[in-house]
Amino acid sequence: MARSIAPWEIKRQLMVKAEGKTDPRYGCKPEERQAKDHIRYGVINLDKPAGPTSHEVAAWVKRILKLEHVGHGGTLEANA
Amino acid sequence: MTGVLPITLEESRKIVQALLYSGKEYVCVMKLHGDISQDKVKAALEEFEDTIYQRPPLRASVKRQLRTRKIYYLDFLEMDGRNVLFKVGCEGGTYIRKLCYDIGEVLGCGAHMQELRRTRAGPFVENSGDSVTLHDVAYWFTEWREQKDDEFLKKIIQPMENALALVPKIYIRDSAVDAICHGANLTAPGVLSLETEIEKGSLVAILTLKGEAVALAKALVSTKEILDMEHGMVAETKRVLMPRGTYPKCWKSGET
């Protein structure tokens, strides 16, 4: 079987199908969200320390930021 | 095990699926159980640069059935006695401990995973400007609460859209947004622009022209087909990310 290309090696181009505008009265650019929404719709690129499990690290972040729900993308455990 | 662990807060937990699909990269120290020449080790690593079969280990969080995983690259870095350092780019859900064991079997001497560090999870990379430690999170969050400067918050938290960087995107009209938020599928007239390399069945991200994520969806047709379509379904909405009512309702309900 041929070597597959990694998702981060794929080059994509943007193709325009139709012209359009967006109304500034609705929604907002992701980088301009109010602090509360910036957190609610936020992700952290965390450098996980050795020792605690991914679940424990997520729970710590939840406690530090005083949030109700926190998840993590891909368990990083002894088993990995 | 250390390294890149993306943390999703509150609403952004809905994009974990996209992160899992986006692939991983690790740097690993493998310990050989016998003395083997560097050339033989390199040749063995090359054999695994392929689609491999893996049965999840006894202590695993998934069903233990044989499955395939793609190894995008497996680069030899260094060797010191019986310790081999390599870098591997692979599909999410690849067990590196198992990979080391299997490389050991091919070499005939046996091997085990000694140390592992994740250097990439999808678009998130270690040592990049946006990588933070638990200490950074605690420190900047306190600074933000005391000084009310949102720049401090942005030092540790980034918009969930960044997590979708590797997922092909479709940008839609304002008038199509609210229907998608209500779970409707995306139809051709709503599409303004889209990225290449979308195939039937691809996971895609639906965004507004402001770059806000509306939903994750499954493409029903390819980029080329979408560009030529005047009507009909383009993508099946899988996970809505934007709350209803963010954009005005522009669709008519059943009654005439």
Side-chain angles (χ1 to χ4, degrees), chain A residues 45-50 76, chain B residues 1-6 25-26 116-121 125-126 131-132:
Chain A
N45 177 3
L46 193 81
D47 188 350
K48 180 189 171 292
L76 183 54
Chain B
M1 312 309 116
T2 64
V4 180
L5 180 69
E25 184 190 83
Y26 299 92
L116 186 70
R117 177 167 173 83
R118 190 191 281 156
T119 50
R120 176 194 272 277
V125 183
E126 70 162 351
S131 169
V132 295

Side-chain angles (χ1 to χ4, degrees), chain B residues 19-233:
Chain B
L19 275 176
L20 298 180
Y21 144 100
S22 296
K24 308 274 160 50
E25 184 190 83
Y26 299 92
V27 169
C28 175
V29 178
M30 174 175 71
K31 181 88 166 180
L32 302 176
H33 300 165
D35 296 310
I36 306 276
S37 77
Q38 191 164 309
D39 289 344
K40 279 188 179 158
V41 172
K42 281 181 177 171
L45 291 183
E46 230 164 81
E47 275 186 54
F48 285 84
E49 219 170 55
D50 202 337
T51 300
I52 60 163
Y53 289 92
Q54 276 198 337
R55 191 183 299 281
L58 269 175
R59 278 176 49 198
S61 49
V62 293
K63 191 176 173 192
R64 295 194 63 228
Q65 57 184 11
L66 200 62
R67 54 189 201 178
T68 62
R69 281 296 177 263
K70 288 181 190 129
I71 306 295
Y72 306 122
Y73 49 82
L74 213 173
D75 298 337
F76 174 93
L77 296 177
E78 243 181 84
M79 193 168 162
D80 180 18
R82 293 183 174 185
N83 289 319
V84 178
L85 186 71
F86 66 80
K87 184 166 83 177
V88 57
C90 57
E91 223 177 326
T94 309
Y95 287 91
I96 306 301
R97 185 178 296 278
K98 189 80 181 136
L99 179 68
C100 289
Y101 178 88
D102 291 342
I103 294 169
E105 292 297 294
V106 165
L107 287 169
C109 63
H112 70 267
M113 185 180 85
Q114 184 82 14
E115 246 181 282
L116 186 70
R117 177 167 173 83
R118 190 191 281 156
T119 50
R120 176 194 272 277
F124 299 114
V125 183
E126 70 162 351
N127 302 330
S128 53
D130 63 6
S131 169
V132 295
T133 62
L134 272 175
H135 182 86
D136 293 329
V137 173
Y139 178 80
W140 290 112
F141 188 69
T142 310
E143 286 292 294
W144 170 68
R145 279 167 64 96
E146 286 172 0
Q147 304 190 37
K148 305 281 177 225
D149 183 344
D150 291 351
E151 286 309 308
F152 295 144
L153 201 57
K154 288 177 182 172
K155 280 184 192 286
I156 51 169
I157 300 172
Q158 44 184 317
M160 64 171 173
E161 283 78 2
N162 292 6
L164 304 176
L166 303 180
V167 180
K169 296 172 190 66
I170 302 182
Y171 294 87
I172 62 168
R173 291 180 196 278
D174 282 5
S175 56
V177 174
D178 205 48
I180 306 281
C181 294
H182 280 78
N185 293 335
L186 178 64
T187 55
V191 178
L192 287 173
S193 57
L194 71 162
E195 289 185 328
T196 51
E197 316 295 324
I198 296 174
E199 300 297 332
K200 184 181 174 185
S202 301
L203 174 74
V204 295
I206 301 178
L207 290 94
T208 65
L209 276 186
K210 295 186 189 78
E212 312 151 276
V214 181
L216 293 176
K218 191 174 95 178
L220 297 172
V221 281
S222 68
T223 300
K224 197 173 170 300
E225 288 169 285
I226 297 172
L227 284 169
D228 291 337
M229 278 166 77
E230 282 177 20
H231 48 79
M233 222 99 90

Side-chain angles (χ1 to χ4, degrees), chain A residues 26-39:
Chain A
Y26 307 110
C28 84
K29 289 182 182 169
E31 59 275 19
E32 289 171 5
R33 285 189 185 117
Q34 297 296 311
K36 186 172 145 273
D37 281 340
H38 186 71
I39 298 172

